[in-house]
Amino acid sequence: MRKLWIIVVAVCLSLVTMGTAFASDVAEPVIAAESAIVVEASTGRVVYEKNADMQGSPASMTKMMTCLLALDELGRHQDVMISKNAAETEDVPLGLAAGDVFSADELLRGMMLASDNGAAVAIAEASAGSVGKFVAQMNDEAAKLDMKDTHFANPNGLTLPGHYSTARDMAKLARYAMTKKEFRDIVGIQQAPIRWSLPKNKVLMVENSNKLLGHYDGMTGIKTGWTMAAGGCLAASAKRNGLELIAVVMKAPDAHVRFDDARKLLDYGFSQTKLKRGIRRDHLKKSVWVRGGTQATVAVHPVEDVNYPVIGGEDPKRYTVTYDLPKVIDAPVKDGTVVGKLVLHYDGKPVGTVDLAAEKADKGFSVGSSLVSIFGWMLPRL
């Protein structure tokens, strides 16, 4: 009987081992694109990468940044007039003409779905007063997003010297942009009518250039790109059972292969990645000192629940967190302002981040905040 139990236990252990090996030994995808990455959206943890830091042209994936900035700058119903410069830009599938007028939201949908390059120029001019000023804002935002290997030279992605990025940086941009509801709503549209304000009653029905929308389970966005120099580019996101992945493909050999590559990346990511509950947003509060405010400290918390992406046979208990926060911030602070990051570590190695946002702190006077102004350098971290 004792021998029988030993055999039963051995068989069970071998089955468990086989199951674990199967989960972690799934073959990595064979990608035709020269550069690719797939990340878990809430933390940015990399599930798979191929030459992810290789610089190349991002083509019309550039428009993710243009849309992101314009949503902050332009009112949805603000009129945008198409300039001669915008109308004469290469590749305008909307058929833009100088003097045409759109509301900002109509033009943004046209830019992101039909990938109209002239629309990007018009949006840049309306947002910043000139394309040059807008491009400077694009590069400032890229720096804030830690896009270390990116430089923009235009708002649409047409090939220019000094216009480059990487799959890793495009994933950072896509990940941040998809936290914005207005952005997410636009890039998830499969088909939409684009309406002119002038000429009146002019309407054009456009299809999203992202052919995976409606044809891949859980697809939520995001943006295609194609030029002869860039090859096939695509930032694609999909969500299943609470898990959202973002895949980026750069320099695929043609415009069709980019979609096949993105499918393979997402299939692999979903087969390998599970989310395990980590820290609930309302269960974690840090604080920082406030200088020049009506209060001496302000609470800081994650922008969402912190879940742990578990890849293959990993153990979620091997996750730890640290906090990348300034000791002192200056008032005023709007509620929800991102002031730092929670850093996820697996086996001691940083693998992802979640933004930390401050609650509201008004500018003004308080004794405590005045003391922070004087003795801030001496204060301990909270």
Side-chain angles (χ1 to χ4, degrees), residues 188-315:
I189 298 171
Q190 190 172 351
Q191 181 187 67
I194 306 302
R195 296 179 172 86
W196 275 245
S197 299
L198 286 175
K200 288 186 176 180
N201 302 319
K202 184 174 180 179
V203 180
L204 179 68
M205 185 65 70
V206 298
E207 295 274 349
N208 197 316
S209 57
N210 179 5
K211 302 307 180 186
L212 293 180
L213 277 169
H215 300 283
Y216 184 86
D217 182 26
M219 181 61 50
T220 54
I222 307 172
K223 188 69 194 77
T224 58
W226 166 259
T227 65
M228 290 298 292
C233 299
L234 177 63
S237 60
K239 190 171 186 177
R240 297 178 185 172
N241 301 318
L243 170 67
E244 188 162 37
L245 300 175
I246 294 173
V248 175
V249 171
M250 292 181 68
K251 207 155 191 183
D254 63 52
H256 301 289
V257 169
R258 57 184 170 172
F259 296 117
D260 294 335
D261 279 352
R263 280 180 181 273
K264 292 176 185 177
L265 289 167
L266 292 169
D267 284 346
Y268 178 77
F270 282 120
S271 75
Q272 291 295 286
T273 314
K274 307 295 179 189
L275 279 184
K276 298 295 184 181
R277 181 175 290 280
I279 306 167
R280 281 181 51 180
R281 178 181 182 274
D282 55 355
H283 285 184
L284 191 152
K285 279 196 176 182
K286 301 285 288 181
S287 294
V288 293
W289 299 101
V290 177
R291 182 167 43 219
T294 56
Q295 61 202 72
T297 65
V298 67
V300 176
H301 49 72
V303 295
E304 58 188 348
D305 290 348
V306 180
N307 293 312
Y308 300 145
V310 178
I311 302 172
E314 290 180 344
D315 181 358

Side-chain angles (χ1 to χ4, degrees), residues 115-144:
S115 206
D116 192 290
N117 291 323
V121 171
I123 286 165
E125 292 170 341
S127 296
S130 72
V131 169
K133 289 179 181 178
F134 188 80
V135 168
Q137 293 175 2
M138 294 172 73
N139 287 313
D140 287 344
E141 187 68 16
K144 291 176 186 176

Side-chain angles (χ1 to χ4, degrees), residues 140-207:
D140 287 344
E141 187 68 16
K144 291 176 186 176
L145 295 175
D146 196 34
M147 296 169 66
K148 296 177 180 177
D149 295 304
T150 296
H151 186 269
F152 295 112
N154 60 45
N156 49 35
L158 288 172
T159 304
L160 274 180
H163 191 93
Y164 56 82
S165 189
T166 65
R168 192 184 310 280
D169 278 0
M170 284 289 110
K172 290 178 182 179
L173 173 58
R175 182 187 162 215
Y176 176 70
M178 289 295 278
T179 66
K180 308 297 182 181
K181 184 180 183 304
E182 286 181 307
F183 181 95
R184 179 181 282 270
D185 288 347
I186 292 172
V187 300
I189 298 171
Q190 190 172 351
Q191 181 187 67
I194 306 302
R195 296 179 172 86
W196 275 245
S197 299
L198 286 175
K200 288 186 176 180
N201 302 319
K202 184 174 180 179
V203 180
L204 179 68
M205 185 65 70
V206 298
E207 295 274 349

